[in-house]
Amino acid sequence: MHSRLYRCFFISHKAPYTKDRMGSKFGIGSLSIVMTLLLSLVPKLEAEFTTVEQAIKSDGSISFLVIGDWGRRGLYNQSQVALQMGKIGEKMDIDFVVSTGDNIYDNGMKSIDDPAFQLSFANIYISPSLQKPWYLVLGNHDYRGDVEAQLSPALRSIDSRWICMRSFIVDAEIAELFFVDTTPFVDAYFLNPEGQNYDWRGVSPRESYLQTTLKDLETSLRESTAKWKIVVGHHAIKSASIHGNTKELESLLLPILEANNVDLYVNGHDHCLQHISTSQSPIQFLTSGGGSKAWRGYYNWKTPEDMKFFYDGQGFMSIKITRTEMGIVFYDVFGNILHKWDTSKVLYTDLDFSL
């Protein structure tokens, strides 16, 4: 379906390391105009996102868990969340796990030999049901460390579950998951990094990187024939928690998702669980960022009819998909069900056109 398939390993960027702040000369508005112009001028080439082929169950379904903002060496209830993930994963016979980023706190990995990888991942998610592929995007805290370490295929020799890339696709036949590297979209990390050093190797020049990401995503979504389309990023497009809506994603990313019939946008970043559905968009906005430290005590949402569910504590999410149905469940740190949402699609092949 797509031009490049992920087999086992991938080539990581080897650009020189820089701590330059790379302040952009574009604000959100002007950057949006520039991106629109650039996208309109780029030829409609075949998508460049790397694709991972994910097998589905014999009954044609898939099920998986979603966790975000978790890598704290088992602290802040990370181990307790991991335990419940294992129990739910066994019940559902999950096929894989999705991470919405901020995989290693507070400042990513120092190197591929950083013990944080084992202390925050390999030694924590030990349940048999979690010994499946983990598909991970980078969060802003991951960019504060050695990004190339998290992206390195060498980590797979330590734990073969780890599949982390900047932007990529998981093709599970009935559904495709499009993972998007959202951290470089956020102006504040470049213009006002607040004393933090970000590893922008592979991102500079920023405008070119964002242009390529948006172009490849738009092409991949447009060419997809999957029954269900899910986009995963670290930052929220819509959120009632402390970080709020990400304006850059509302301006640059959301129009592409809406134009290409995306069903879900799934993110982390805010350390909570939430489900937002607005009358202005057909997309369901889901936050799963309760993998460890949570309880921020912040809520700001002015249209209560759009907020289907909000929980400020730790937890995770499950998704089950068939050809015609999708079910989403949010769980707390004890494995209790907090919120459910289901939807269905009538496929053209299921319709009877006889007169």
Side-chain angles (χ1 to χ4, degrees):
M1 183 180 298
H2 299 283
S3 57
R4 294 188 294 171
L5 298 182
Y6 179 95
R7 293 303 183 189
C8 285
F9 296 100
F10 56 92
I11 300 174
S12 59
H13 296 287
K14 295 299 181 182
Y17 176 75
T18 176
K19 291 187 178 181
D20 293 343
R21 295 185 178 180
M22 294 166 43
S24 171
K25 59 180 177 295
F26 299 110
I28 296 174
S30 58
L31 183 57
S32 177
I33 294 172
V34 169
M35 289 300 168
T36 300
L37 291 173
L38 288 172
L39 285 168
S40 67
L41 294 173
V42 172
K44 298 296 184 180
L45 302 176
E46 193 172 11
E48 292 299 324
F49 276 27
T50 297
T51 297
V52 182
E53 301 286 355
Q54 170 64 52
I56 63 176
K57 294 183 176 68
S58 58
D59 64 1
S61 70
I62 58 169
S63 58
F64 57 96
L65 304 181
V66 183
I67 186 74
D69 304 83
W70 43 270
R72 296 183 185 271
R73 303 184 180 217
L75 301 177
Y76 297 98
N77 284 337
Q78 183 193 358
S79 294
Q80 286 77 8
V81 173
L83 177 63
Q84 297 303 324
M85 289 174 63
K87 293 179 179 179
I88 300 300
E90 182 178 2
K91 290 180 181 179
M92 296 183 65
D93 186 23
I94 60 169
D95 301 290
F96 55 91
V97 179
V98 167
S99 171
T100 58
D102 278 359
N103 309 313
I104 306 293
Y105 281 96
D106 276 321
N107 298 307
M109 292 180 62
K110 297 178 181 179
S111 69
I112 59 174
D113 299 317
D114 192 333
F117 179 75
Q118 290 180 305
L119 296 174
S120 291
F121 174 64
N123 295 351
I124 301 297
Y125 302 99
I126 57 176
S127 298
S129 68
L130 303 181
Q131 307 309 303
K132 303 290 177 66
W134 280 57
Y135 301 118
L136 310 98
V137 289
L138 299 170
N140 54 299
H141 282 270
D142 301 313
Y143 265 99
R144 294 178 184 178
D146 182 350
V147 166
E148 298 302 326
Q150 282 203 46
L151 297 173
S152 174
L155 291 183
R156 287 180 56 80
S157 65
I158 301 174
D159 194 313
S160 61
R161 295 176 291 174
W162 186 269
I163 302 175
C164 182
M165 289 176 268
R166 296 185 190 271
S167 296
F168 61 104
I169 299 166
V170 174
D171 181 354
E173 295 186 31
I174 58 172
E176 281 194 311
L177 288 78
F178 303 82
F179 292 74
V180 181
D181 184 20
T182 60
T183 300
F185 282 85
V186 180
D187 288 338
Y189 301 140
F190 297 86
L191 302 177
N192 184 27
E194 299 181 343
Q196 298 293 337
N197 292 314
Y198 291 88
D199 182 358
W200 296 126
R201 287 177 293 173
V203 171
S204 177
R206 181 191 178 202
E207 283 72 33
S208 176
Y209 181 81
L210 297 184
Q211 170 204 347
T212 300
T213 300
L214 291 170
K215 173 185 69 69
D216 291 350
L217 176 64
E218 191 279 331
T219 303
S220 297
L221 286 170
R222 177 168 43 81
E223 294 180 347
S224 173
T225 59
K227 306 304 181 184
W228 303 92
K229 299 179 186 180
I230 301 172
V231 175
V232 180
H234 178 63
H235 295 78
I237 295 178
K238 297 185 182 296
S239 174
S241 194
I242 193 166
H243 292 299
N245 297 359
T246 306
K247 301 301 182 183
E248 297 89 342
L249 298 185
E250 286 186 303
S251 175
L252 298 172
L253 186 62
L254 182 56
I256 294 175
L257 307 191
E258 292 178 335
N260 288 280
N261 303 312
V262 169
D263 298 287
L264 310 178
Y265 178 76
V266 183
N267 61 272
H269 196 45
D270 272 323
H271 298 180
C272 63
L273 307 173
Q274 61 184 326
H275 175 195
I276 297 173
S277 180
T278 73
S279 59
Q280 291 77 38
S281 177
I283 300 171
Q284 305 299 312
F285 300 95
L286 308 172
T287 297
S288 184
S292 57
K293 189 175 183 180
W295 302 109
R296 295 265 177 108
Y298 184 94
Y299 179 89
N300 181 21
W301 194 259
K302 297 181 180 179
T303 52
E305 65 273 15
D306 297 339
M307 183 58 67
K308 307 307 178 184
F309 165 72
F310 182 90
Y311 180 69
D312 197 34
Q314 291 106 343
F316 59 99
M317 183 174 71
S318 72
I319 300 179
K320 181 176 180 178
I321 302 175
T322 69
R323 290 176 64 249
T324 58
E325 296 179 338
M326 174 188 290
I328 295 167
V329 182
F330 286 91
Y331 308 87
D332 68 10
V333 67
F334 303 107
N336 298 316
I337 294 175
L338 301 175
H339 174 67
K340 289 183 176 183
W341 181 81
D342 299 283
T343 189
S344 61
K345 287 185 178 182
V346 177
L347 304 182
Y348 289 116
T349 54
D350 298 328
L351 296 177
D352 184 1
F353 291 101
S354 60
L355 297 177

